[in-house]
Amino acid sequence: MSWNFKNWYRQRILENESIPDDLWQKAVARLRFLHGLSPIELKRLRECVILFLHAKQISGAHGLVITSEMHVMIAVQACILILNLDLDYYDGWVEIIVYPGEFIRDYEYADEDGVVHRAREPVSGESWLGGPVILSWEDTAAAEAGAGYNVVIHEFAHKLDMLNGDANGFPPLHANMNQQAWSEAFSKAYAGFCLHVDADAPTAIDPYAAENPAEFFAVMSEAFFEMPLVVKLDFPAVYGQLALFYRQDPAQRWIEP
Ligand SMILES: [Zn+2]
């Protein structure tokens, strides 16, 4: 095996930094989607969390103090996406800003006549291309309920999507994946989902996914980890593509509560 600077550097960090056992056990126990992981996967996840916390800076806004418990809760949810990928997938940016609750986003949009308007709306999370991830702590902590809603997974899925430019629901695929298969699976599922939402039909998946293809990918990623059996049953082709992309099969390891 040849000497590798990245591995050597990471090994040095792992030798010098750690997460206290009680903090780790508590975080894992709180998040139902981690319960089916094997001891080997949990060990890898814990190492990923240590490296993630070394590389990223998490700061509170509006006076929010970020405790070690909050650090671990955020990092462990961000790292589940890259458990079988690499920490490199989150390269190129450093900051995570956490608000106590929903925060106001200012944005511009053009109407049908091309007139640009400014608007403000409360949001629970945001990801910037090449910039920070912004989270609401209240929404981050809501993941404990295990109800399929997960703002950290959502925002970090956007980060993966942005590895090849603006978020559009098409992250860079692995060499063993097929662009057309991805495109077909997602566009078909998205079109069907939008019809469903337009008809006001009940759905286990957050209707926000109908917003645009980027949101569809982020919400489907949340559901893939949080309620994999539903995604596998209702959107089997999307499940298959996500399993190839994340290199994980959460439905297979799912433990009913
Ligand atoms: Zn989003």
Side-chain angles (χ1 to χ4, degrees), residues 103-253:
F103 51 93
I104 302 296
R105 181 174 78 110
D106 287 299
Y107 65 104
E108 287 185 344
Y109 68 96
D111 66 17
E112 284 162 0
D113 301 322
V115 178
V116 176
H117 300 268
R118 292 188 67 88
R120 316 188 84 202
E121 63 172 2
V123 289
S124 56
E126 203 173 10
S127 288
W128 290 62
L129 183 66
V133 169
I134 310 174
L135 299 167
S136 139
W137 175 251
E138 202 184 312
D139 292 83
T140 300
E144 274 190 59
Y149 176 69
N150 192 304
V151 70
V152 180
I153 292 180
H154 183 104
E155 295 308 328
F156 280 82
H158 281 319
K159 274 292 185 196
L160 299 177
D161 191 357
M162 287 171 182
L163 282 168
N164 52 3
D166 282 326
N168 59 359
F170 215 123
L173 305 182
H174 308 304
N176 68 336
M177 294 180 70
N178 182 306
Q179 304 241 358
Q180 203 180 334
W182 179 278
S183 210
E184 266 177 35
F186 274 87
S187 50
K188 242 175 147 174
Y190 178 63
F193 187 76
C194 289
L195 286 176
H196 202 78
V197 170
D198 284 346
D200 278 332
T203 159
I205 307 288
D206 186 349
Y208 183 61
E211 193 81 4
N212 58 48
E215 296 307 334
F216 189 69
F217 167 69
V219 172
M220 278 297 176
S221 293
E222 278 178 78
F224 176 74
F225 289 102
E226 287 265 355
M227 45 167 108
L229 303 179
V230 173
V231 180
K232 194 170 183 178
L233 190 68
D234 293 352
F235 303 94
V238 165
Y239 186 92
Q241 291 301 312
L242 289 175
L244 286 172
F245 178 67
Y246 289 112
R247 295 183 173 137
Q248 297 187 49
D249 189 354
Q252 190 262 325
R253 69 180 181 229

Side-chain angles (χ1 to χ4, degrees), residues 1 23 25 34 66 77 91 94 120 138 155 190 229:
M1 205 172 79
L23 215 61
Q25 303 298 353
L34 301 178
I66 308 293
Q77 295 180 77
D91 272 359
V94 170
R120 316 188 84 202
E138 202 184 312
E155 295 308 328
Y190 178 63
L229 303 179

